[in-house]
Amino acid sequence: MFFNWRLFFRALRLFFIAQPFTVRRWAYGLFFTLLFLLFLAFVALGRLVDRLLFPGFRRQPVRSPVFIIAPPRSGTTLTQKLLSLDDERFVHLKMYQTIFPAVCFQRFFDLVAAIDRGLGRPAERVLGWCERRWFGGWDDLHKMRLNQPEEDDALFLYAFASEAVYMLFPFIRPLWEAGFPDALPPDSRRRLMEYYRSCLQRHLYANDPDKTLLSKATQSCGTVESLRDAFPDAKFVTIVRHPYRSLASHVSLFVPVWQAHSPEITSNGPVARDYAQLGIEWYRHLFAFRNRIDPARYYCIDYRDLVRNPRETIERLYAHFGWTVSPAFRERLEAATERQREFKSKHEYTLEQFGLTKEYVQAELGELLDFYGLER
C-alpha cells in the first residue's frame, strides 16, 4: 500500500513546529492526525485480510474505466449521479466504500445490512438520522450520504495524495504534490497508481466484476496524466464551468475548516490565494491534457448545457463514446432532468471575497476562456 511518508512528515513539521504554538491548533492537529492514522491502520489491515481471504481480487480486470474529472464546483457530482443511473452499464463508488476500501469490509457491511433488513431496518433509520445530523449542513453545497455515489478522494487520502490534506495542513505550496500528484517523481506516481488500481479491483470484485467502473474525483485534475498512463483504455469526462464561479466556490468550502483550527487564516489571505492558485493550475493542466489524449477517449461537457438540460447533455456524451442509451436509463434521465430544473443553488461567491480579481484570472486562463467561449 503506497503512502507518501515524506510528505506526511513534512506536513507535521509545518503544522506543529514551523508555526507559533496554540492549544487550539495542536488539539485539532493531534486529534485528527491520530484519527487518520487509526483509519489508515484499519484499512491496511483490511487490505491484508483481503489477500488472505479474497485473493481473487488481484486477477480482477479494470476494463475501460470512466473517470469524471473537473475542478470542484463544476458539476461533477451531478454528472456522476446521472451516469450512475445507468446501473446496467456502470458500478460506482459510494461514500462508505471509499472510507473502507476492502473486500472484507464490503462483505461485513453486506451481512449487517441483510440482518438489519430482516429486523425491519432499525439500524438504517438510526443511521439516516445520524447522517442528517453529520452532513445535513452541507446539503445545499454537496449532499453527502454514506450509501450514495461519492468521489473516491478518500482512496487518495489514504496515500496522502489528496487535496483533502489541505484541510488540516493548509500549506499548499510546500505540500504541492498532495493536490498535484502528477508532480510526484515517476516511481512514486507508478506506486500510487498501483495502489489505486488495487482499490478499484477490490471494488469491482466485491460488487459487480463485469460492469464498467465509474469514478468521480475533482482532485484528480492533478492526476490525469498518471491515470492516462496507468489505464490506457480509460475514458475521461471533464466539465468546464466559468472559473470566476468555480474558483470562488471552491475556496469557500475550505475557509471555515481552516478557521476552525487556525482562526488567523482569513478568507482573502495568502492561504486562500494559494489554494485558488491550485484550482487555476488544475484548469491549466486539464486544458493541456485534452491535446495529449486520443479524442475518442475524451469528452468535455459545458457546465451551462449540463444544468440547462442534463438529459440531452448525457445523451451527447453517450453518442460520442458509442454507447447505447437504454429505455430504462432514458426514463431515469428524464426524471432527473425535471428535478434539476427545480434546483437553484443558495450559495454565490465572488472572487474578491478570496483576494482574487477577474483581471488576475484572465491573465492566468485567458486562452482557456477564449477557447470555450467564456466571457471575460
Side-chain angles (χ1 to χ4, degrees):
M1 179 174 177
F2 174 79
F3 185 81
N4 196 334
W5 290 103
R6 178 186 57 82
L7 205 65
F8 176 67
F9 288 127
R10 186 190 303 172
L12 294 181
R13 179 180 59 80
L14 289 167
F15 192 88
F16 291 107
I17 299 175
Q19 295 188 101
F21 170 81
T22 69
V23 173
R24 184 173 189 167
R25 183 185 298 115
W26 271 61
Y28 268 88
L30 288 173
F31 175 78
F32 284 105
T33 298
L34 292 174
L35 184 64
F36 170 68
L37 291 175
L38 179 64
F39 268 82
L40 180 63
F42 189 59
V43 168
L45 177 61
R47 291 168 62 84
L48 178 61
V49 171
D50 283 353
R51 289 184 172 271
L52 298 174
L53 299 184
F54 307 102
F57 83 86
R58 287 179 288 184
R59 298 187 297 274
Q60 171 64 46
V62 184
R63 303 184 188 90
S64 302
V66 176
F67 297 111
I68 304 169
I69 302 173
R73 317 304 300 153
S74 296
T76 54
T77 298
L78 175 58
T79 303
Q80 181 195 34
K81 289 183 176 179
L82 292 172
L83 290 178
S84 65
L85 295 174
D86 189 359
D87 53 16
E88 298 168 314
R89 179 183 303 275
F90 295 118
V91 58
H92 58 271
L93 290 99
K94 300 177 181 178
M95 180 188 285
Y96 81 92
Q97 294 166 337
T98 68
I99 300 172
F100 302 102
V103 180
C104 60
F105 297 146
Q106 179 74 70
R107 295 287 186 256
F108 172 75
F109 290 131
D110 289 345
L111 176 62
V112 171
I115 294 173
D116 185 54
R117 286 193 297 271
L119 296 175
R121 304 180 187 271
E124 182 179 319
R125 289 193 291 272
V126 172
L127 183 61
W129 180 85
C130 292
E131 288 178 313
R132 290 189 292 273
R133 296 279 295 179
W134 297 337
F135 309 131
W138 289 73
D139 281 358
D140 289 336
L141 281 169
H142 176 75
K143 188 174 181 178
M144 296 183 293
R145 295 295 184 267
L146 291 169
N147 201 38
Q148 287 188 2
E150 189 52 78
E151 61 182 291
D152 55 10
D153 187 47
L155 304 180
F156 287 94
L157 180 59
Y158 286 131
F160 212 73
S162 162
E163 66 153 338
V165 165
Y166 302 134
M167 287 187 173
L168 184 61
F169 304 110
F171 313 104
I172 286 79
R173 294 186 185 276
L175 304 178
W176 186 256
E177 297 96 326
F180 217 101
D182 278 344
L184 287 167
D187 183 61
S188 295
R189 287 174 56 182
R190 177 186 57 79
R191 290 189 292 127
L192 173 62
M193 289 296 102
E194 288 176 353
Y195 153 74
Y196 181 57
R197 175 182 288 275
S198 75
C199 293
L200 302 187
Q201 287 178 301
R202 284 173 163 87
H203 185 74
L204 285 165
Y205 179 86
N207 291 276
D208 201 321
D210 296 323
K211 289 185 179 178
T212 299
L213 193 288
L214 176 66
S215 166
K216 169 247 186 179
T218 57
Q219 61 87 35
S220 287
C221 293
T223 320
V224 288
E225 298 285 358
S226 302
L227 290 170
R228 182 199 58 188
D229 295 341
F231 300 94
D233 60 347
K235 293 179 173 59
F236 294 84
V237 178
T238 190
I239 309 162
V240 171
R241 185 185 185 189
H242 204 304
Y244 292 169
R245 293 188 175 275
S246 67
L247 288 173
S249 188
H250 180 193
V251 180
S252 74
L253 295 176
F254 273 49
V255 170
V257 180
W258 293 330
Q259 292 177 339
H261 58 72
S262 302
E264 71 278 7
I265 295 179
T266 60
S267 61
N268 60 354
V271 174
R273 290 196 296 272
D274 283 350
Y275 190 54
Q277 188 63 41
L278 174 67
I280 287 173
E281 295 302 327
W282 280 352
Y283 266 100
R284 187 177 286 127
H285 197 51
L286 278 175
F287 187 53
F289 177 74
R290 69 175 295 145
N291 295 319
R292 293 197 290 264
I293 188 171
D294 180 356
R297 296 172 54 199
Y298 175 90
Y299 188 79
C300 183
I301 293 173
D302 188 314
Y303 176 83
R304 295 165 295 187
D305 294 336
L306 178 65
V307 296
R308 182 168 55 244
N309 196 319
R311 179 181 61 78
E312 287 186 0
T313 302
I314 298 301
E315 287 179 343
R316 286 195 294 270
L317 182 153
Y318 268 56
H320 176 79
F321 289 132
W323 299 336
T324 301
V325 178
S326 70
F329 178 43
R330 180 174 284 108
E331 185 176 338
R332 297 186 200 114
L333 271 180
E334 188 58 50
T337 297
E338 291 302 317
R339 290 193 296 272
Q340 176 62 28
R341 287 175 179 143
E342 299 172 0
F343 173 79
K344 182 173 178 57
S345 175
K346 300 177 182 178
H347 297 267
E348 293 291 337
Y349 302 94
T350 64
L351 293 170
E352 289 72 20
Q353 288 177 262
F354 305 103
L356 301 170
T357 64
K358 292 181 178 180
E359 289 74 20
Y360 178 75
V361 176
Q362 289 170 15
E364 293 286 302
L365 298 175
E367 182 183 359
L368 179 147
L369 295 174
D370 292 341
F371 182 87
Y372 289 113
L374 302 173
E375 73 277 6
R376 284 174 174 260

